[in-house]
Amino acid sequence: MRTLAKVAIGIGAALILVIAAVVVAVLTVDPNTLIAPVQAQVKAATGRDLAVRGGARVALSLRPRVMLTDVALSNPPWAAAKDLVKVQRLELAFLLLPLLSRRFEVEEIALIGPEVNLETAASGEKSWEFRPAASAATSGPGEGAATAVGIGDIEIANGTVTYRDGATGAVTRATIEKLALRGRIMSSNVAIDLRGAIGDVPVALAGTLGSFDSLVNRRWPFPIDVKGEVAGQ
């Protein structure tokens, strides 16, 4: 019994040290210092401007979260809407242990109040097609900062998606009450749960999809196993 007690005390002490080290690691990272390098990387990769108007802050818990408010990714100059994507609040939850070595592994991404504006021009241009800015800076003071090496769950609440057809002028609007994607998003099959509407037609879907990695790399067939209701049917 004494041996078990000593082991338990040793494990408890080790856990306390780990938690303390994680707290120190998180407290020594100001998330606002990472915004400029990320903006530069986004500009270089897409040619678009990323704005974080409300700044960033860290919420300490068993799952440390970085919260960014009033985040926006710009649309091309010809688009009617200023922003391609605008999010009221973006939350990133990280795994604890990787923070000790300044590696950010994203366990969960939550988007609250996102607005997505998709548009086509009469000439055929699409607002979601990016043109990398070769002249944009790709390094800066935060060049050595940690980067995310994995993505877990994604949750979206109270979102809207608007599509404007530049040739016809038609506008289609969808609302997302809830969208949850669960699993290792990039590398494994993903469980999906969607509640929302397209126009005035309610939509509810649930099931599984293949990985984003398979979709991006066009590894066919892409598995889809989804059931649900459209307009109650």
Side-chain angles (χ1 to χ4, degrees):
M1 292 296 293
R2 291 182 179 179
T3 301
L4 289 176
K6 290 180 179 180
V7 171
I9 292 172
I11 292 175
L15 287 175
I16 291 173
L17 289 174
V18 167
I19 293 172
V22 168
V23 170
V24 171
V26 172
L27 288 177
T28 56
V29 176
D30 180 359
N32 288 286
T33 64
L34 303 178
I35 292 176
V38 170
Q39 288 173 319
Q41 294 288 343
V42 170
K43 182 72 172 183
T46 68
R48 307 290 179 83
D49 295 319
L50 176 69
V52 185
R53 304 184 184 103
R57 69 183 182 88
V58 173
L60 289 177
S61 67
L62 291 178
R63 293 195 307 169
R65 303 179 79 89
V66 173
M67 292 180 281
L68 301 93
T69 55
D70 196 3
V71 181
L73 180 66
S74 66
N75 248 331
W78 55 263
K82 178 182 178 181
D83 299 315
L84 174 65
V85 180
K86 183 166 61 175
V87 183
Q88 293 177 12
R89 188 168 79 251
L90 172 63
E91 298 184 3
L92 306 172
F94 299 100
L95 295 174
L96 282 171
L97 292 180
L99 289 175
L100 294 174
S101 55
R102 300 294 181 89
R103 289 187 298 109
F104 287 179
E105 294 193 19
V106 182
E107 183 179 25
E108 179 182 279
I109 299 175
L111 295 91
I112 293 86
E115 299 177 15
V116 180
N117 296 293
L118 306 175
E119 302 183 42
T120 61
S123 61
E125 291 181 273
K126 301 176 179 64
S127 65
W128 59 90
E129 290 182 340
F130 301 122
R131 296 180 179 178
S135 60
T138 57
S139 62
E143 184 177 6
T147 56
V149 297
I151 299 176
D153 300 341
I154 296 178
E155 292 194 1
I156 298 174
N158 302 321
T160 61
V161 179
T162 303
Y163 174 73
R164 294 179 175 86
D165 189 318
T168 65
V171 177
T172 303
R173 182 182 175 87
T175 58
I176 301 173
E177 177 184 342
K178 170 190 175 183
L179 172 60
L181 301 172
R182 302 194 179 281
R184 299 302 295 177
I185 298 298
M186 296 304 297
S187 59
S188 63
N189 286 356
V190 178
I192 180 172
D193 184 7
L194 169 66
R195 299 289 185 276
I198 300 176
D200 296 327
V201 180
V203 176
L205 300 173
T208 59
L209 306 173
S211 69
F212 285 2
D213 185 62
S214 295
L215 186 62
V216 169
N217 291 290
R218 300 182 180 182
R219 290 199 292 265
W220 314 129
F222 182 76
I224 299 176
D225 183 7
V226 175
K227 297 179 181 179
E229 295 182 354
V230 177
Q233 302 297 316

